[in-house]
Amino acid sequence: MAELPVERAIPRAFKAPVRVMSRMLGAPPAPTDETQPPEVSENDAIVECGLYLDGVRRPERLNYTEALRVAREHGNGFVWLGLKEPVAGQLGHVAETFGLHELAVEDAVTRGQRPKVERYADMTFCTMRTARYVEHEELTASSEIVETGDMMMFIGEHFIITVRHGDACNLGRIRSQLDQRAELLRQGPWAVAYAVYDLVVDVYLDVVDSIEDDIDVIEEVVFATEARTGRHRSGRIQRIYQLKRELMEFKRAVLPLQRPLSGLVHREVVDLPKEIRRYFRDVHDHLNRASEQVLYFDDLLNSVLQARLAQVTVDQNNDMRKIAAWAGIAAVWTALAGIYGMNFKYMPELDWRFGYPAVWAILLIVTAVMYRGFRRSGWL
């Protein structure tokens, strides 16, 4: 039997029946709209793989499987494997090689994890939020001020695996710095964990300093007055709200990290070496300073926002008083014009020779007196 041609574009409702009929008639299966995702390689996610023996990085380049074997044979050695934005398929062989817990692996491929420290048998899993300041020429209602990401770490006796999501915190610069500190690296994988925590918190402090500059600009705009009108400059509320919104995003990264870092310092989850715990205590102090600054900025922005709303209310009241003052002056003219516009035959001063100039004089005098009174009272 001849093969039946199959159309390329097939409605979704008829795809399954057409495939069945095609198999029955021996025709090739009909193409579908669904594209298979390309196969991903674990090497696409690997940024760096380093082998450290007695605190010194070995120059040879090994895959992580061979490097882990050498580190375990040496005793005082560990592997630092760096990954960037891996998917579940890319972490499969890594998890099998290093013996990672499936729940921790699931968290490592999911962004937006809350900072925490969890213990799985002989492995520790740490997560934190990273942040960096986005440079901008002018603060607008849609400016991106803080960019956040995620950093995860699997820490074992002979390995540390860092998983980075986003570009908020690049670990490249601390690799070269740690390579020069063999005494610290002899403490094992937790020395690298300290360096990562220290880098993340130091970037927090940099963001704090930059946000402080933006708040100073906002305050200057809100509380400055224009020389001519005496009104406050148009410090738009949208810009204040945008800065507060970005600060809240930064706050979500900084404040939740206090509890897990405190747990490391006080040995609540992991019993760190005494020397490494001193370094973590220093990082914890820096984090407390960043947290205090964030809370202070939050209160300060609330005050600035309330002050701006109060200024808007005051400016509106001033406008209403000016309108009321001019309306009062206009009422005198309207009342007098209404009286003499009623066209009655017998009205006083209709036949008086100086009636018209007298009316103008009265109107101008009353207007001048009222204007001066309103000016003295601050209504005009």
Side-chain angles (χ1 to χ4, degrees), residues 8 15 19 30-35:
R8 289 186 178 274
K15 286 180 181 178
R19 286 196 294 268
T32 63
D33 298 335
E34 296 135 0
T35 59

Side-chain angles (χ1 to χ4, degrees), residues 272-335:
L272 297 179
K274 182 177 181 181
E275 187 66 25
I276 293 297
R277 196 164 63 250
R278 293 176 181 173
Y279 287 99
F280 271 94
R281 189 178 297 114
D282 180 69
V283 176
H284 188 248
D285 292 339
H286 292 172
L287 179 62
N288 287 337
R289 192 178 72 171
S291 302
E292 291 172 359
Q293 286 292 101
V294 169
L295 294 176
Y296 167 71
F297 290 159
D298 192 21
D299 293 339
L300 183 60
L301 280 178
N302 285 334
S303 301
V304 172
L305 183 59
Q306 294 299 323
R308 179 55 191 156
L309 292 175
Q311 289 173 357
V312 171
T313 302
V314 170
D315 290 339
Q316 290 177 344
N317 289 339
N318 290 335
D319 292 339
M320 292 302 298
R321 289 195 299 179
K322 290 180 180 179
I323 293 173
W326 286 114
I329 294 174
V332 177
W333 292 66
T334 303

Side-chain angles (χ1 to χ4, degrees), residues 342-364:
M342 291 187 293
N343 295 325
F344 289 111
K345 182 177 181 181
Y346 300 103
M347 291 184 67
E349 292 86 27
L350 284 180
D351 298 326
W352 185 34
R353 181 178 180 180
F354 300 103
Y356 182 73
V359 170
W360 273 104
I362 293 173
L363 287 174
L364 293 176

Side-chain angles (χ1 to χ4, degrees), residues 163-268:
V163 180
R164 178 165 60 95
H165 292 274
D167 298 321
C169 202
N170 194 335
L171 299 181
R173 59 177 176 175
I174 69 170
R175 291 181 186 274
S176 58
Q177 294 175 0
L178 283 176
D179 289 346
Q180 308 299 323
R181 304 181 64 182
E183 294 183 1
L184 178 62
L185 289 176
R186 288 193 184 97
Q187 302 294 328
W190 280 103
V192 178
Y194 148 72
V196 174
Y197 272 105
D198 187 53
L199 174 64
V200 171
V201 174
D202 284 346
V203 176
Y204 285 169
L205 294 175
D206 294 339
V207 175
V208 164
D209 294 337
S210 300
I211 290 180
E212 186 174 13
D213 294 337
D214 284 335
I215 293 179
D216 291 339
V217 173
I218 286 291
E219 286 184 306
E220 181 180 356
V221 172
V222 168
F223 295 105
T225 57
E226 297 179 2
R228 294 183 178 180
T229 62
R231 297 169 63 93
H232 291 89
R233 293 179 183 175
S234 57
R236 290 181 295 180
I237 297 178
Q238 292 88 341
R239 289 190 288 178
I240 304 175
Y241 176 76
Q242 176 65 11
L243 182 56
K244 183 173 176 58
R245 185 176 182 275
E246 293 292 309
L247 181 64
M248 292 301 295
E249 181 70 17
F250 182 51
K251 183 178 178 180
R252 289 177 56 192
V254 176
L255 296 188
L257 186 58
Q258 286 184 297
R259 184 171 181 179
L261 193 54
S262 176
L264 291 175
V265 172
H266 297 94
R267 297 183 295 182
E268 296 176 359

